[in-house]
Amino acid sequence: MMSIRRNLTRQPRRRRRLGTSLPSATLVTVALLLPSAAVAWSSSTTMPPARTFSSAVAPRSMSSTAADTDAVDETYYSPGLASTTTTMPTRPSSNPGGTATAAAPRITMTRWLSAKVQDYPELRDMESLHLSIQMACKTISNLIQSSSTATTASRGDAVDNSAGSLRDDSMKRLDQISKNVLQNALRFTGRLRVVEAPRNTGNEDEEGPRTHQPGVTIAYALDQFGSDGDGTRQKGEGVGGEDGNAWGTTRRLAACFDPLDGSGNADAAICTGTVFGVFDADAGFRGGETPDLRDASSLSRAVLQPGSKLLAAGYCLYSSTTMLVFSLGGGTHGFTLDKSINEFVLTHPNMRIPSRGNIYSCNEAYAEGWDGGFKGYLRTLKTGRGATGQRYTQRYIGSMVGDVHRTLMYGGIFCCPSDSEVHPKGSLQLVYKSAPMAYIIEHAGGKASDGNVDLLDVRPNYVHERSPCFMGSPEDMDELVAHLGGDRR
């Protein structure tokens, strides 16, 4: 830099004749190429010493053992931790000290599932299903973000300025697009029969308008995974933190999806979500009976089971971040979409709902038709006369996925009771809304009920059947059920 400065000062007149600002531009360019101020330069030609990396933060070997992989599965990921050291739990058998220091890695959902399958091969079919689900969720997330912008920009050009008309049109459009994306992703596996859930024509009043729940999807496995002659899978040693009793006898999977819950809120940039539940398809048929793959009504019987028969369930929340939360039966885990790599990354391993919260969530617009016991319970929360002596606050988004997710994170209770005037059987569908969400809550340490019995014990008679639902922190749920006079299990 010193020599360049001297050369430039020897020829000032030539530069001025050319009428150019080359000297100053050259000086700026050279200055931008200088090393940071943290490196001290001297007049000598000696280069600064090369930086060395501590073995504590050295990159992990690609040939890591299965024990290392499981240890990594429990690590909380944050982009800001990528260059710092952290303490990771490890199996006692691989490290008597119980901890190991290594760089905080980015554990993607794909790698997390792959590690599970290595230890428990019976989960291989679930891995394939989840990979198609996460592919669909990434696409739906992008569509929702772009749709909100496009719809807002076009409102001024709309001929019909009715708020209800605009909202209905947007909801129908997003429902249709989300359904197509999800069904195409499921069909892409080549192993699933995908149909739209049939409606029960005899219960139109209970199910609501035909356009209210379009696109509810059922996926039925076409082949038997890991069969051993008679079609039943062999249960491996141990459970891998998951429900081994259920997985040990599974032959086929059947899944039910709500492609976009809360689609009417998308244009207002309010959170929406995709909900899914996975069953043992054969448990829905008796005596070796097989469904007609061309008949959606026949296939739907595979998911007409109580929530206690679920093998897995989850939801994808589309909000300020996109988060996929699911459970395979032995814990609830949260994966956040990292836009920089377009992958779901483990951020919330082994999620646990607080034992009690201070938030209740319900739509009090229907309060006039509620049961007296439930209204009495809410009165204790509002006045601080409940078990905690603390006044609760109300938070209600109007999107079930958003309300339940907040309840899972902060504790409290989510309520969707029946009312005598509008929703005599509740407003949420059991098969593809409340049962999968209750499954997630219960495997995170919470409880769920329909006001009388455990919500996961309720058996649906048809796909769109509704049911009252209450779910949340265990102590809050015990207090609520005591007011309702139901089962406190």
Side-chain angles (χ1 to χ4, degrees), residues 7 25 39 163 179 215 286 321 336-337 393 396 402 421 478:
N7 291 337
V39 181
K179 179 197 74 171
R286 305 288 182 180
T321 59
T336 302
L337 182 60
T393 184
Y396 183 71
E421 298 182 0
D478 288 342

Side-chain angles (χ1 to χ4, degrees), residues 203-209 212-213 363 366 369-371 374 396 400 414-430 432-434 449-452 455 458 462 464-470:
N203 292 274
E204 190 71 21
D205 291 339
E206 294 181 9
E207 293 189 2
H212 184 64
Q213 288 296 339
N363 187 352
Y366 300 108
W370 287 345
D371 176 78
F374 181 63
Y396 183 71
M400 180 201 62
F414 170 78
C415 310
C416 189
S418 60
D419 66 85
S420 59
E421 298 182 0
V422 184
H423 304 116
K425 290 190 175 183
S427 61
L428 292 181
Q429 290 79 5
L430 180 63
Y432 51 86
K433 286 184 183 287
S434 56
S449 172
D450 71 345
N452 295 306
L455 188 61
V458 180
Y462 49 92
H464 299 284
E465 183 175 353
R466 301 171 188 267
S467 172
C469 72
F470 307 88

Side-chain angles (χ1 to χ4, degrees), residues 30-70:
V30 174
L32 290 174
L33 293 175
L34 287 176
S36 63
V39 181
W41 286 79
S42 65
S43 57
S44 66
T45 58
T46 304
M47 296 296 292
R51 289 187 298 169
T52 58
F53 293 89
S54 168
S55 60
V57 295
R60 291 176 56 85
S61 171
M62 293 297 291
S63 60
S64 58
T65 63
D68 294 334
T69 303
D70 281 359

Side-chain angles (χ1 to χ4, degrees), residues 9 55 77 126 138 160 165 184 199 429 465 489:
T9 55
S55 60
Y77 162 75
M126 181 61 70
K138 293 173 188 177
D160 183 359
S165 177
N184 289 338
R199 296 185 64 85
Q429 290 79 5
E465 183 175 353
R489 286 182 301 168

Side-chain angles (χ1 to χ4, degrees), residues 12-20:
R13 295 180 180 177
R14 180 177 300 176
R15 294 288 187 262
R16 284 196 292 269
R17 291 193 191 100
L18 293 174
T20 178

Side-chain angles (χ1 to χ4, degrees), residues 346-390:
L346 180 63
T347 54
H348 298 72
N350 297 316
M351 301 174 72
R352 304 297 294 176
I353 189 172
S355 60
R356 186 182 283 276
N358 60 358
I359 300 172
Y360 74 95
S361 179
C362 61
N363 187 352
E364 293 200 71
Y366 300 108
E368 292 299 320
W370 287 345
D371 176 78
F374 181 63
K375 290 195 286 188
Y377 170 71
L378 291 185
R379 194 175 301 113
T380 64
L381 298 184
K382 296 174 185 178
T383 59
R385 298 176 183 175
T388 63
Q390 177 186 7

